[in-house]
Amino acid sequence: MTTRVLAVGYQPNWLTILESPFMHNALIGGTVVALASGLMGYFIVVRRNAFASHALAHMGLPGATGAVLLGVPPVLGLGVFCVGGALVIGALGKRAADRDVVTGTTLAFATGLGLFFNSLATKSSSTMTNVLFGNLLAITHEQLVGFSTLFLVLTLCVAVIYRPLMYSSVNPAVAEAKGVPVRALSVVFMVLLALAATMAVQAVGTLLLFALLVTPAATGIMLTPRPSLAMAISAVTSVFSVWVGLGASAMFNVPPSFLVVTVACGIWFTVWLVDRRRGRVAAVLDDGP
């Protein structure tokens, strides 16, 4: 029995729901995805790859619908198209302006291809819905294994290329002059970003991807100039958003993806307001007598 409060169903048995196996899978899977997003998010913001991260998720749509046509798992097609799009963007988009053009062009083609595949597959409507909006509550044990493996790969790869990647992200021109393989690092980073996007899409969907990959990282960067600390803040913010979102979804019977997004964006907006207020106070003090 549920009690209606402002058209939202409050569920008195929400603690029992939180103890259910599917909620445990959602909590573990969401946490792994949030940690991976926090790890990659800092570089996404610093390298100005926010549009690329959003586009990669949409590029996975034709992969998922095409996989339905071939009778293979949609996540396999999703990952293949995300990585393929990442290779194209990383190889052809060396400069920021070129990268945006390549990203937009590739995204347009991928979107059209996705619509074409969807028109051919009679069973792909639910697949498209899951890709667009995600489904934390449907995470399986097999996906948990996949998430954990991808997170381990992401962590190891970032650890290996951390210093040159940071250098090329902050000042690519100087890094290239010093002999840092900027283009190769760009391709590697885009592939890692594609793997992170593949994970995040299954949790929050393509339309809400920014909530995990970009928004917490932007929050961390506003709070500290130290990269490692900003990454930690990003990861903590992502995990907190997932936990609160899942808890609130069990309590009020609301889709968890929406709540995860709401919490992450609420934290970012609060930090943005405080940061802006501090900037105004500092400006007043500097202009004082």
Side-chain angles (χ1 to χ4, degrees):
M1 179 178 179
T2 60
T3 303
R4 294 288 171 179
V5 181
L6 298 178
V8 175
Y10 172 75
Q11 302 182 123
N13 63 332
W14 62 273
L15 284 175
T16 303
I17 296 175
L18 286 177
E19 295 173 354
S20 60
F22 75 88
M23 191 61 77
H24 287 170
N25 287 348
L27 184 62
I28 296 172
T31 299
V32 175
V33 171
L35 290 174
S37 301
L39 177 66
M40 298 298 296
Y42 176 84
F43 292 103
I44 292 173
V45 176
V46 172
R47 295 173 65 89
R48 300 179 181 179
N49 284 147
F51 176 44
S53 66
H54 183 67
L56 283 176
H58 283 278
M59 290 175 195
L61 180 61
T65 53
V68 173
L69 286 173
L70 297 176
V72 299
V75 66
L76 179 61
L78 176 69
V80 169
F81 269 67
C82 281
V83 172
L87 290 173
V88 173
I89 296 172
L92 301 181
K94 180 179 178 181
R95 296 179 302 175
D98 295 337
R99 186 167 57 243
D100 284 346
V101 172
V102 173
T103 301
T105 303
T106 309
L107 173 60
F109 176 74
T111 302
L113 196 61
L115 293 175
F116 174 67
F117 286 161
N118 183 62
S119 67
L120 297 178
T122 57
K123 298 180 180 179
S124 65
S125 58
S126 61
T127 300
M128 287 193 67
T129 300
N130 288 336
V131 172
L132 289 174
F133 300 103
N135 194 351
L136 264 174
L137 301 181
I139 291 178
T140 63
H141 290 288
E142 290 75 14
Q143 285 179 305
L144 290 181
V145 175
F147 288 173
S148 300
T149 302
L150 286 177
F151 177 60
L152 180 60
V153 171
L154 288 174
T155 303
L156 291 176
C157 290
V158 171
V160 170
I161 65 174
Y162 178 80
R163 290 179 65 86
L165 180 62
M166 182 64 69
Y167 195 7
S168 64
S169 299
V170 174
N171 200 329
V174 175
E176 188 171 27
K178 292 289 186 178
V180 176
V182 175
R183 173 162 295 197
L185 282 172
S186 177
V187 174
V188 172
F189 175 75
M190 290 304 299
V191 171
L192 295 179
L193 177 55
L195 295 178
T198 301
M199 294 173 61
V201 162
Q202 298 175 69
V204 296
T206 60
L207 298 179
L208 306 177
L209 187 69
F210 271 37
L212 288 183
L213 280 177
V214 177
T215 306
T219 302
I221 290 173
M222 281 192 293
L223 290 173
T224 177
R226 296 173 55 188
S228 58
L229 184 57
M231 290 181 197
I233 293 174
S234 175
V236 170
T237 303
S238 295
V239 172
F240 178 79
S241 300
V242 169
W243 288 2
V244 173
L246 284 172
S249 71
M251 186 177 295
F252 295 105
N253 194 26
V254 177
S257 296
F258 162 74
L259 295 172
V260 171
V261 171
T262 301
V263 174
C265 291
I267 294 173
W268 171 85
F269 186 64
T270 301
V271 173
W272 180 82
L273 286 177
V274 173
D275 184 68
R276 189 175 183 182
R277 181 176 179 83
R278 287 177 178 174
R280 288 178 176 177
V281 172
V284 170
L285 293 178
D286 290 340
D287 294 338

